[in-house]
Amino acid sequence: MGDYSFETNWLQEFWIPNYILVPGSPAELLHSNPSCPVIVFINTKSGGQLGGDLLATYRKLLNSHQIFNLGENAPDKVLRELYQNLEKLKSDGDNFAAEVQKRLRLIVAGGDGTASWLLGVVSDLKLAYPPPIATMPLGTGNNLHFSFGWGKRNPGTDHRSVKLFLDRVKKAREMKIDSWHIIMRMQTPEDCPCEPIAPLDLPQSLHAFCRVSQTDSLNREGYQTFRGGFWNYFSMGMDAQVSYAFHSQRKLHPEKFRNQLANQRTYVKLGCTQGWFCTSLFHPISRNIALLAKVKIMKKHGSWEELHIPQSIRSIVCLNLPSFSGGLNPWGTPNKKKQRDRDLTPPFVDDGLLDIVGFRDAWHGLVLLCPKGHGTRLAQAHRVQFKFHKGADDHAYMRIDGEPWKQPLPKDDGEVVVEISHLGQVKMLATDDCICKSFAEEASTTQMVDALVQESFEDSDLSTSEARRNFGAADSFRSTD
C-alpha cells in the first residue's frame, strides 16, 4: 500500500487535471502544483510500431487527456486550444493554471521527422512561455535525440521504462537551439498544367507548404517557391541518394521495416549497392557537388562570397547539431591553430552558424569513427546559397533532417536556387549525456549571444518578410518517419 501511495504521489508531479486539458470541465480542488507537468505526443507509426505500446503505457500512468496520438491529433491544434484555456483560467485568477503554464514541458516520441515537426509547431505558435521539448527516440537515425542526450535506441514501453524516462525529463535542463529557414525556388515548367504547384517528390517539411503569394517578396515571376525549416542539417549528394533509396524501399515494403537494427543493416547494404563505397565505379563525376552547383556563403556579417568546393567532394552537409548519420560528428573540434588561421569555432548549437562539411565517399566518412576524425571542413556561415543551372545532370539528391528527395534540375535556361538562413531559436531539454555545446553557456555574458543573433537577422534581406518568419510548420512538418 505504501509503495502504491508513493508511486501515485510521484506521478502527480507530471499530472495535469481535466479542467485544464478539456475546456468547460468542472474545476478541481488541488493541494499542490505539479513540478513537471507534461504533454506527450507519440507517433504510433514510428519505431517498428512500438509507438502504440508506448501510447497505452502513458495513458495508464497519466491522465489520458494529456497523451496524444499524432496520427489522430494535430499538435498545433492541441497546443493552441490548451494555451487558450490556460490564458482564460489565468484571467479568472487561477494560480494553478499559471504555474502549469510556466512549468509545462513537452515530450515527443518518434524519429527525427516527428521531433522536427513539434519544434516547428512550437516555433510557429509564438506561445507565451513556450515549453521546452524532450525527445524520445523511435526512429532509425535519431540524430536530434542523441544530440541532447536522449539516446539513439528505441526505449522500453513498459511502466518502469516510461517512469525512468519521466524522471529524466524532470531533471533535464533547458538549452536553446538555432532554427534554420530554407527556401527553394525553381522555374515553372512551361508544359505543367498543375495549379498551384507541380506535385514534386519533396519531403514533408517542404511539400506541404502552399506556394507563396504573388505579392510575397520571396516570390519571383515564372518560379515556384517552397519554404521550410530545419534544426539539424541540410545535405546534398551521395549520402542523400542512399537515404532516398532506403525511404523508397520502406514506402514500397513497410512490413519489412519494423525492426530498428534490421533497418540499420538495410541502410548499410543500400550504401554498398548505391555505390557510396565505390563511387569511382558507380557514381557519375557529373554529380560531384562542384559540377552540380555554385555555392555562396555569408559569414557573421558582410556580403556573399563564393565557397570553393574541391572537385572530389560528392556530398556536402550544412550541419547545426554535432550528430549526423546516427551520432557521428562531421565537424569535430578544430584545434586552436585552425580556429585562428581559418576563423573556425567549435560546433555550438546556438551561435547562429551552420558548419559546412564535405565528403568524398563513405570511406572518407568512416574517419568519423576515429576519436578526432572529421570531414573536410569547408566553412561556417549563417547563410548559404546553392544555385543550380543546366549542365552536369538532370537531378540531384537532397535531404533535410533525415527526409530525402530527388530534386529535378533545370533542362533549359532556368535555375534552381536553395537558400538557407538563420531564423531564431527554440528550447530543448538536455540530459547529462548531452553532446551539444551551447555558446550561451560558455560565453561570459548573455549579451554576446543576443548581439550575434540580432546581427544575423539584420544582415538578412529576407528578414522583413512575414512569410520568412513563419515556417508554416503546423502543416509542413507533418511526418510519418
Side-chain angles (χ1 to χ4, degrees), residues 87-268:
E87 290 297 334
K88 179 181 181 299
L89 293 170
K90 283 169 55 182
S91 65
D92 294 338
D94 190 325
N95 293 327
F96 183 90
E99 288 300 316
V100 168
Q101 186 180 48
K102 288 180 181 179
R103 301 178 186 183
L104 184 66
R105 295 186 164 194
L106 302 185
I107 297 174
V108 53
D112 285 319
T114 304
S116 295
W117 178 17
L118 258 294
L119 285 168
V121 167
V122 172
S123 176
D124 265 4
L125 292 179
K126 306 293 189 294
L127 301 169
Y129 303 103
I133 300 170
T135 60
M136 178 178 284
L138 280 183
T140 302
N142 298 322
N143 291 292
L144 196 139
H145 315 67
F146 176 69
S147 297
F148 290 91
W150 300 104
K152 292 186 287 186
R153 295 186 179 278
N154 295 341
T157 61
D158 59 286
H159 284 210
R160 181 177 178 276
S161 298
V162 169
K163 290 174 190 173
L164 288 173
F165 189 85
L166 285 172
D167 188 55
R168 295 179 75 199
V169 171
K170 181 180 177 181
K171 296 175 180 176
R173 72 183 190 275
E174 293 185 15
M175 180 184 288
K176 289 186 177 180
I177 173 179
D178 289 325
S179 59
W180 296 90
H181 180 257
I182 180 170
I183 65 168
M184 183 164 64
R185 186 179 292 117
M186 64 193 75
Q187 193 167 28
T188 307
E190 295 181 359
D191 56 349
C192 178
C194 302
E195 278 294 333
I197 57 175
L200 296 173
D201 182 22
L202 295 174
Q204 295 289 343
S205 49
L206 284 176
H207 81 72
F209 281 112
C210 296
R211 184 178 179 181
V212 298
S213 67
Q214 295 297 324
T215 57
D216 196 301
S217 61
L218 294 176
N219 193 41
R220 292 182 184 176
E221 186 177 355
Y223 285 82
Q224 299 171 359
T225 302
F226 297 83
R227 184 176 60 248
F230 67 92
W231 279 263
N232 191 1
Y233 66 88
F234 166 87
S235 72
M236 180 179 70
M238 199 65 199
D239 72 289
Q241 179 177 335
V242 175
S243 179
Y244 181 80
F246 175 83
H247 281 257
S248 299
Q249 287 292 318
R250 187 163 62 174
K251 285 181 181 179
L252 289 173
H253 306 287
E255 71 282 356
K256 297 181 180 180
F257 293 81
R258 296 179 183 273
N259 180 275
Q260 186 182 38
L261 188 60
N263 289 353
Q264 291 169 343
R265 283 198 295 262
T266 301
Y267 205 99
V268 173

Side-chain angles (χ1 to χ4, degrees), residues 34-96:
S35 62
C36 184
V38 296
I39 295 292
V40 183
F41 294 100
I42 299 173
N43 187 340
T44 56
K45 297 180 180 180
S46 293
Q49 312 303 309
L50 290 176
D53 296 337
L54 199 61
L55 186 75
T57 303
Y58 267 105
R59 284 179 172 171
K60 287 179 181 178
L61 293 175
L62 301 176
N63 187 341
S64 62
H65 288 110
Q66 68 190 96
I67 317 299
F68 296 92
N69 180 352
L70 285 171
E72 301 173 355
N73 305 98
D76 54 313
K77 182 180 179 181
V78 170
L79 292 176
R80 189 181 294 112
E81 291 179 352
L82 172 62
Y83 272 74
Q84 286 174 350
N85 195 41
L86 285 170
E87 290 297 334
K88 179 181 181 299
L89 293 170
K90 283 169 55 182
S91 65
D92 294 338
D94 190 325
N95 293 327
F96 183 90

Side-chain angles (χ1 to χ4, degrees), residues 12-13 29-35 96 103:
Q12 290 296 318
E13 299 297 322
L29 181 61
L30 301 162
H31 300 291
S32 62
N33 295 321
S35 62
F96 183 90
R103 301 178 186 183

